[in-house]
């Protein structure tokens, strides 16, 4: 959505209505306003009313000079939402169980039950992204200097090309991930949050099948 705004207006200020239409919405509505607010919380756009504009952080992510710049930009964006930090601070830097957190969101922060479920899912995905290795070089992961050792994931398999590969247990609940190399330059990470089932894996395969139509193979040397 931010890229669509940037492609049309670069970093110039435009009005809210135009911004929403560039993002793919018909105009102002509950979903479009929520999307705009979310992008602002991540620090990717700024301003209001007649002066919405893409931030320098978003430009660094969209058009980085190298992979490290994009990676650091994404991590900066992921750490921007204050409410995520407030929730973790409330629970001593950790994320409580879903039932406890959902109750807190509904009773103390005015969430409806469905909104609370969505927030918990995004919060977990956001935290998992922040805990991923900074980058991968020559098949080896490089951790951020301030990262702390993470507990080993369940069902670990032997390393493949020096990249951790874990497999989800069907029906398990929690956070599971698959990580494997598909080419010398490309490593795939798939993150599961919640119950892992054959249906969930089959749906993931279907989405990947659809997504590949948006990409082309590199030209032969």
């Amino acid at each position: 959505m931010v890229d669509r705004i940037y492609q049309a207006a670069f970093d110039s200020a435009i009005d809210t209505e135009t911004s929403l239409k560039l993002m793919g919405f018909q105009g102002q509505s509950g979903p479009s306003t929520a999307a705009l607010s979310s992008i602002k919380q991540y620090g990717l756009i700024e301003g209001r009313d007649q002066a919405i504009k893409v931030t320098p952080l978003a430009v660094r992510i969209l058009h980085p000079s190298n992979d490290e710049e994009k990676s650091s930009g994404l991590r900066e964006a992921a750490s921007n939402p204050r409410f995520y930090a407030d929730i973790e601070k409330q629970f001593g830097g950790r994320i409580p169980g879903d039932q406890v957190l959902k109750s807190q969101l509904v009773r103390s922060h005015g969430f409806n039950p469905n909104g609370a479920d969505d927030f918990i899912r995004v919060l977990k995905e956001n935290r998992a992204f922040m805990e991923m290795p900074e980058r991968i070089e020559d098949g080896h992961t490089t951790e951020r200097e301030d990262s702390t050792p993470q507990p080993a994931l369940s069902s670990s398999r032997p390393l493949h090309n020096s990249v951790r590969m874990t497999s989800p247990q069907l029906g398990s609940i929690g956070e599971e991930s698959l990580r494997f190399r598909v080419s010398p330059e490309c490593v795939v990470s798939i993150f599961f949050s919640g119950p892992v089932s054959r249906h969930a894996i089959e749906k993931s395969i279907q989405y990947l099948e659809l997504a590949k139509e948006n990409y082309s193979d590199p030209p032969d040397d």
Side-chain angles (χ1 to χ4, degrees):
M1 291 182 180
V2 178
D3 191 27
R4 293 171 186 166
I5 296 175
Y6 186 76
Q7 292 295 331
F10 301 105
D11 57 356
S12 299
I14 58 177
D15 63 273
T16 300
E17 191 75 16
T18 301
S19 300
L20 294 175
K21 289 181 178 179
L22 290 173
M23 290 164 59
F25 297 100
Q26 296 298 317
Q28 293 197 28
S29 64
S32 66
T33 301
L36 191 66
S37 175
S38 295
I39 294 172
K40 283 184 179 181
Q41 289 181 49
Y42 281 101
L44 302 179
I45 61 172
E46 60 188 3
R48 53 180 299 178
D49 299 332
Q50 303 300 311
I52 300 292
K53 61 186 299 185
V54 174
T55 64
L57 171 60
V59 176
R60 293 207 316 268
I61 294 171
L62 294 172
H63 300 283
S65 58
N66 51 55
D67 291 342
E68 287 75 15
E69 185 176 48
K70 181 172 184 177
S71 176
S72 65
L74 287 169
R75 291 178 187 279
E76 181 180 340
S79 65
N80 275 335
R82 280 290 306 274
F83 193 51
Y84 293 166
D86 291 344
I87 288 294
E88 292 192 21
K89 183 178 179 180
Q90 180 178 350
F91 291 96
R94 297 174 293 178
I95 300 177
D98 289 3
Q99 185 174 356
V100 172
L101 181 53
K102 183 174 181 177
S103 175
Q104 180 72 16
L105 292 172
V106 172
R107 299 179 63 178
S108 301
H109 298 285
F111 280 71
N112 64 48
N114 289 336
D117 289 336
D118 288 340
F119 176 86
I120 292 170
R121 173 181 56 81
V122 174
L123 176 64
K124 287 184 174 181
E125 292 174 354
N126 202 72
R127 181 161 182 167
F129 173 79
M130 292 293 291
E131 293 176 349
M132 286 178 63
E134 180 85 22
R135 62 185 183 275
I136 297 174
E137 295 178 348
D138 301 324
H140 297 278
T141 58
T142 303
E143 300 289 347
R144 290 175 291 157
E145 292 183 359
D146 62 347
S147 64
T148 55
Q150 300 298 319
L153 295 173
S154 61
S155 304
S156 295
R157 289 182 177 178
L159 296 181
H160 176 63
N161 288 342
S162 300
V163 178
R164 180 179 298 280
M165 187 173 183
T166 62
S167 61
Q169 296 177 339
L170 297 184
S172 64
I173 299 177
E175 298 177 355
E176 302 284 347
S177 65
L178 285 167
R179 192 185 187 105
F180 48 89
R181 183 175 296 279
V182 295
S183 75
E185 299 83 17
C186 182
V187 173
V188 175
S189 296
I190 302 176
F191 175 76
F192 294 87
S193 177
V196 181
S197 63
R198 292 186 182 276
H199 177 70
I201 294 174
E202 289 170 356
K203 293 292 290 186
S204 301
I205 294 172
Q206 292 174 16
Y207 277 114
L208 288 172
E209 286 288 337
L210 292 172
K212 73 179 183 182
E213 300 300 326
N214 296 319
Y215 300 88
S216 58
D217 292 329
D220 295 333
D221 294 333

